mmCIF file of all heavy atoms in Angstrom:
data_model
loop_
_atom_site.group_PDB
_atom_site.id
_atom_site.type_symbol
_atom_site.label_atom_id
_atom_site.label_comp_id
_atom_site.label_asym_id
_atom_site.label_seq_id
_atom_site.Cartn_x
_atom_site.Cartn_y
_atom_site.Cartn_z
ATOM 1 N N TYR K 118 114.555 97.649 85.879
ATOM 2 C CA TYR K 118 114.171 96.930 87.054
ATOM 3 C C TYR K 118 113.395 97.768 88.047
ATOM 4 O O TYR K 118 113.323 97.248 89.268
ATOM 5 C CB TYR K 118 115.471 96.302 87.703
ATOM 6 C CG TYR K 118 116.111 95.322 86.894
ATOM 7 C CD1 TYR K 118 117.372 95.681 86.187
ATOM 8 C CD2 TYR K 118 115.695 94.077 86.665
ATOM 9 C CE1 TYR K 118 118.020 94.789 85.402
ATOM 10 C CE2 TYR K 118 116.267 93.152 85.818
ATOM 11 C CZ TYR K 118 117.415 93.464 85.237
ATOM 12 O OH TYR K 118 118.102 92.589 84.406
ATOM 13 N N SER K 121 110.284 95.914 89.547
ATOM 14 C CA SER K 121 110.623 94.910 90.479
ATOM 15 C C SER K 121 111.058 95.372 91.869
ATOM 16 O O SER K 121 110.693 94.856 92.897
ATOM 17 C CB SER K 121 111.745 94.013 89.840
ATOM 18 O OG SER K 121 111.271 93.532 88.645
ATOM 19 N N LEU K 125 109.025 94.792 95.291
ATOM 20 C CA LEU K 125 109.735 94.178 96.365
ATOM 21 C C LEU K 125 109.677 95.019 97.602
ATOM 22 O O LEU K 125 109.362 94.468 98.663
ATOM 23 C CB LEU K 125 111.143 93.802 95.925
ATOM 24 C CG LEU K 125 111.906 92.895 96.825
ATOM 25 C CD1 LEU K 125 111.169 91.536 96.896
ATOM 26 C CD2 LEU K 125 113.291 92.714 96.414
ATOM 27 N N ILE K 129 107.610 93.879 100.925
ATOM 28 C CA ILE K 129 108.391 93.686 102.168
ATOM 29 C C ILE K 129 107.864 94.626 103.258
ATOM 30 O O ILE K 129 107.573 94.274 104.401
ATOM 31 C CB ILE K 129 109.890 93.794 101.949
ATOM 32 C CG1 ILE K 129 110.313 92.549 101.188
ATOM 33 C CG2 ILE K 129 110.594 93.870 103.302
ATOM 34 C CD1 ILE K 129 111.784 92.640 100.751
ATOM 35 N N LEU K 139 100.332 92.338 114.127
ATOM 36 C CA LEU K 139 100.036 91.053 114.744
ATOM 37 C C LEU K 139 100.834 90.955 115.996
ATOM 38 O O LEU K 139 100.306 90.494 117.053
ATOM 39 C CB LEU K 139 100.352 89.890 113.836
ATOM 40 C CG LEU K 139 99.395 89.723 112.591
ATOM 41 C CD1 LEU K 139 99.919 88.665 111.722
ATOM 42 C CD2 LEU K 139 97.980 89.500 113.139
ATOM 43 N N LEU K 155 92.733 95.307 115.173
ATOM 44 C CA LEU K 155 94.139 95.229 114.978
ATOM 45 C C LEU K 155 94.536 93.847 114.414
ATOM 46 O O LEU K 155 95.475 93.782 113.559
ATOM 47 C CB LEU K 155 94.801 95.538 116.259
ATOM 48 C CG LEU K 155 96.410 95.807 116.221
ATOM 49 C CD1 LEU K 155 96.683 97.010 115.461
ATOM 50 C CD2 LEU K 155 96.854 95.926 117.714
ATOM 51 N N ASP K 158 93.424 93.774 110.794
ATOM 52 C CA ASP K 158 94.338 94.662 109.944
ATOM 53 C C ASP K 158 95.673 94.007 109.762
ATOM 54 O O ASP K 158 96.199 93.993 108.623
ATOM 55 C CB ASP K 158 94.573 95.986 110.635
ATOM 56 C CG ASP K 158 93.394 96.966 110.548
ATOM 57 O OD1 ASP K 158 92.461 96.629 109.765
ATOM 58 O OD2 ASP K 158 93.375 97.943 111.170
ATOM 59 N N ILE K 173 106.306 89.837 91.276
ATOM 60 C CA ILE K 173 107.436 90.235 90.607
ATOM 61 C C ILE K 173 107.517 89.755 89.104
ATOM 62 O O ILE K 173 107.954 90.439 88.147
ATOM 63 C CB ILE K 173 108.718 89.827 91.317
ATOM 64 C CG1 ILE K 173 108.735 90.636 92.591
ATOM 65 C CG2 ILE K 173 109.960 90.031 90.525
ATOM 66 C CD1 ILE K 173 109.960 90.317 93.506
ATOM 67 N N ILE K 196 90.285 109.865 102.290
ATOM 68 C CA ILE K 196 89.179 110.810 102.077
ATOM 69 C C ILE K 196 88.089 110.377 103.063
ATOM 70 O O ILE K 196 87.478 111.302 103.728
ATOM 71 C CB ILE K 196 88.701 110.786 100.674
ATOM 72 C CG1 ILE K 196 89.799 111.474 99.712
ATOM 73 C CG2 ILE K 196 87.371 111.506 100.504
ATOM 74 C CD1 ILE K 196 89.517 111.398 98.263
ATOM 75 N N SER K 198 88.439 108.750 105.843
ATOM 76 C CA SER K 198 88.985 109.079 107.193
ATOM 77 C C SER K 198 88.836 110.580 107.540
ATOM 78 O O SER K 198 88.488 110.952 108.654
ATOM 79 C CB SER K 198 90.346 108.607 107.344
ATOM 80 O OG SER K 198 90.966 108.950 108.552
ATOM 81 N N SER K 202 86.772 112.498 110.419
ATOM 82 C CA SER K 202 87.354 113.442 111.328
ATOM 83 C C SER K 202 86.600 114.721 111.304
ATOM 84 O O SER K 202 86.489 115.493 112.284
ATOM 85 C CB SER K 202 88.808 113.623 110.891
ATOM 86 O OG SER K 202 89.630 112.493 111.074
ATOM 87 N N PHE K 210 91.375 117.521 109.754
ATOM 88 C CA PHE K 210 90.796 116.754 108.752
ATOM 89 C C PHE K 210 91.226 117.252 107.299
ATOM 90 O O PHE K 210 91.298 116.503 106.358
ATOM 91 C CB PHE K 210 89.290 116.741 108.793
ATOM 92 C CG PHE K 210 88.553 117.947 108.223
ATOM 93 C CD1 PHE K 210 88.175 117.955 106.937
ATOM 94 C CD2 PHE K 210 88.418 119.047 109.044
ATOM 95 C CE1 PHE K 210 87.536 119.046 106.444
ATOM 96 C CE2 PHE K 210 87.807 120.254 108.568
ATOM 97 C CZ PHE K 210 87.294 120.216 107.243
ATOM 98 N N VAL K 212 94.212 118.146 106.292
ATOM 99 C CA VAL K 212 95.494 117.463 105.888
ATOM 100 C C VAL K 212 95.245 116.171 105.354
ATOM 101 O O VAL K 212 95.779 115.742 104.303
ATOM 102 C CB VAL K 212 96.557 117.487 107.108
ATOM 103 C CG1 VAL K 212 97.754 116.705 106.719
ATOM 104 C CG2 VAL K 212 96.813 118.835 107.575
ATOM 105 N N GLY K 217 94.514 112.423 100.811
ATOM 106 C CA GLY K 217 93.670 111.496 100.013
ATOM 107 C C GLY K 217 93.435 111.964 98.580
ATOM 108 O O GLY K 217 93.547 111.173 97.640
ATOM 109 N N SER K 242 107.222 107.038 92.477
ATOM 110 C CA SER K 242 108.281 107.359 93.377
ATOM 111 C C SER K 242 108.035 108.754 94.063
ATOM 112 O O SER K 242 108.218 108.927 95.236
ATOM 113 C CB SER K 242 109.593 107.377 92.673
ATOM 114 O OG SER K 242 109.896 106.134 92.091
ATOM 115 N N ALA K 243 107.588 109.769 93.255
ATOM 116 C CA ALA K 243 107.193 111.008 93.848
ATOM 117 C C ALA K 243 106.092 110.844 94.887
ATOM 118 O O ALA K 243 106.095 111.539 95.885
ATOM 119 C CB ALA K 243 106.819 111.977 92.729
ATOM 120 N N ILE K 245 105.524 108.247 96.718
ATOM 121 C CA ILE K 245 106.099 107.588 97.950
ATOM 122 C C ILE K 245 106.890 108.673 98.739
ATOM 123 O O ILE K 245 106.676 108.712 100.013
ATOM 124 C CB ILE K 245 107.081 106.460 97.580
ATOM 125 C CG1 ILE K 245 106.243 105.277 97.063
ATOM 126 C CG2 ILE K 245 107.915 106.034 98.797
ATOM 127 C CD1 ILE K 245 107.095 104.156 96.497
ATOM 128 N N ARG K 252 103.863 112.014 106.348
ATOM 129 C CA ARG K 252 103.798 111.187 107.532
ATOM 130 C C ARG K 252 104.815 111.784 108.647
ATOM 131 O O ARG K 252 104.544 111.749 109.844
ATOM 132 C CB ARG K 252 104.195 109.683 107.266
ATOM 133 C CG ARG K 252 102.984 109.123 106.528
ATOM 134 C CD ARG K 252 103.260 107.633 106.357
ATOM 135 N NE ARG K 252 102.966 106.959 107.553
ATOM 136 C CZ ARG K 252 102.642 105.673 107.591
ATOM 137 N NH1 ARG K 252 102.560 104.962 106.518
ATOM 138 N NH2 ARG K 252 102.337 105.113 108.704
ATOM 139 N N ASP K 265 95.748 103.642 128.810
ATOM 140 C CA ASP K 265 94.937 102.568 129.244
ATOM 141 C C ASP K 265 95.606 101.905 130.420
ATOM 142 O O ASP K 265 96.717 101.268 130.296
ATOM 143 C CB ASP K 265 94.746 101.501 128.158
ATOM 144 C CG ASP K 265 93.752 100.397 128.542
ATOM 145 O OD1 ASP K 265 93.066 100.614 129.568
ATOM 146 O OD2 ASP K 265 93.668 99.361 127.819
ATOM 147 N N ALA K 274 91.841 94.207 140.677
ATOM 148 C CA ALA K 274 90.769 94.887 141.320
ATOM 149 C C ALA K 274 89.417 94.798 140.572
ATOM 150 O O ALA K 274 88.349 94.862 141.187
ATOM 151 C CB ALA K 274 91.120 96.399 141.452
#
Side-chain angles (χ1 to χ4, degrees):
Y118 296 105
S121 298
L125 191 62
I129 290 172
L139 289 174
L155 191 63
D158 283 350
I173 290 179
I196 291 170
S198 174
S202 296
F210 80 94
V212 175
S242 299
I245 289 173
R252 290 184 81 154
D265 187 14

